[in-house]
Amino acid sequence: QVLADLYGQALTRANLHDRARTFHESLGRSKFMAFSNLHQAYYKRDADDRSKWLRFVRDDFERCEGSCAELEKPSMQFCAQSCSEEIDLLKAQISLEELALTKKWPNGPHRFAGLSLVKTLTKLIAAGEIVEADNLHTKLKLSGRRYWRIKVRALADAKNWTELNTMATHLTSPVGYELVVDAFLKHGQIELAKPFVAKVKGYEQQAEYYEKMGLHAEARAARAQRQERSGAGKLLQNFLRFP
């Protein structure tokens, strides 16, 4: 068993994927054969070839799930699901490349195939294709919380202040407004950051942001509100303690 593992690993490190797959198949090691196929899939430069191999690998993992030990089933399910998600991403990336060519997006040609989902979204946002990024996030079922973080950072890096300000103003942040304020302040956009400080939870955090902006009167007001709320809370606790 140990020698077989070491030999299989040596073949994989040497990029001898066909030999590794044949070796594992001859020993009936279906799980290792699936991982060898997975390595080979990611060595395929052509997106269509990679998609085809990923479908093979997904099928391998699904077969493994049916025959492996109970403890390994969740792992095989995860691998099969990851392959399906990668296939969907590649399909979407190829469509985006075709769309960019058809609509003659500026600064082309645009290449997306092989990028991670995060890098694909970031690249779309940087290119000003916000609608396409929103559609991709929905299509691939990326969580709203994660997409908000990606979008805020990408818009800030692209210095698309109008879009970032519009998004933060008209949409409710699922992760709070600290990220928005930090993004504006990082790039010196104090006036744009200011309206969102009041939406930050925690008066002390608000005060710290105001101090960074040089707005000392606002910082004092935020701390005064914190003390006022704290005093009211203590009074209520004392009242409830003594019926």
Side-chain angles (χ1 to χ4, degrees):
Q1 178 73 32
V2 175
L3 289 176
D5 289 346
L6 291 174
Y7 183 64
Q9 291 170 11
L11 291 173
T12 300
R13 282 196 297 269
N15 297 331
L16 300 172
H17 303 296
D18 285 330
R19 286 179 61 182
R21 185 177 67 253
T22 302
F23 170 70
H24 292 306
E25 188 176 14
S26 68
L27 296 178
R29 293 154 57 97
S30 56
K31 180 180 73 173
F32 293 94
M33 185 181 72
F35 281 118
S36 293
N37 287 340
L38 182 61
H39 280 286
Q40 188 151 354
Y42 280 98
Y43 271 87
K44 300 294 180 183
R45 292 184 178 275
D46 182 77
D48 289 329
D49 282 347
R50 184 179 290 185
S51 290
K52 181 178 71 176
W53 272 86
L54 283 169
R55 284 193 290 272
F56 292 152
V57 177
R58 178 191 60 195
D59 294 343
D60 286 342
F61 282 123
E62 287 177 348
R63 282 192 292 271
C64 289
E65 182 191 343
S67 60
C68 68
E70 199 64 33
L71 283 175
E72 291 188 316
K73 287 185 184 294
S75 175
M76 296 300 101
Q77 289 173 351
F78 173 79
C79 290
Q81 179 62 32
S82 296
C83 288
S84 292
E85 291 172 358
E86 188 67 18
I87 291 165
D88 291 340
L89 175 59
L90 272 172
K91 183 179 178 181
Q93 289 171 332
I94 293 169
S95 296
L96 286 168
E97 290 181 357
E98 292 171 351
L99 183 65
L101 190 61
T102 302
K103 292 194 172 183
K104 297 181 180 179
W105 290 357
N107 305 315
H110 295 273
R111 297 285 180 257
F112 297 101
L115 297 178
S116 68
L117 176 55
V118 172
K119 287 184 178 179
T120 301
L121 291 167
T122 300
K123 189 170 182 178
L124 284 169
I125 293 168
E129 298 298 331
I130 311 298
V131 173
E132 294 302 331
D134 290 348
N135 290 340
L136 184 63
H137 137 253
T138 302
K139 185 177 182 178
L140 298 186
K141 300 177 182 177
L142 184 69
S143 75
R145 294 171 65 86
R146 190 177 180 201
Y147 183 53
W148 180 276
R149 294 179 184 278
I150 293 168
K151 194 172 182 179
V152 168
R153 292 188 180 113
L155 288 170
D157 289 342
K159 295 181 172 56
N160 191 340
W161 308 122
T162 300
E163 185 66 31
L164 178 54
N165 185 58
T166 300
M167 182 182 82
T169 300
H170 297 290
L171 298 178
T172 300
S173 170
V175 296
Y177 287 87
E178 290 87 341
L179 192 66
V180 173
V181 176
D182 286 335
F184 281 133
L185 291 182
K186 180 181 177 182
H187 295 275
Q189 301 296 316
I190 293 175
E191 288 304 312
L192 289 174
K194 186 178 175 182
F196 298 103
V197 175
K199 294 185 177 185
V200 172
K201 290 183 178 179
Y203 291 116
E204 183 58 34
Q205 181 67 67
Q206 290 180 17
E208 289 177 8
Y209 279 132
Y210 285 132
E211 292 285 2
K212 284 182 181 180
M213 299 180 201
L215 303 172
H216 303 297
E218 286 84 347
R220 287 193 296 272
R223 290 195 170 102
Q225 278 191 296
R226 183 195 64 182
Q227 291 174 351
E228 182 181 325
R229 290 292 181 90
S230 177
K234 288 179 180 178
L235 182 63
L236 179 61
Q237 284 180 355
N238 290 334
F239 177 77
L240 294 174
R241 191 179 299 169
F242 301 105

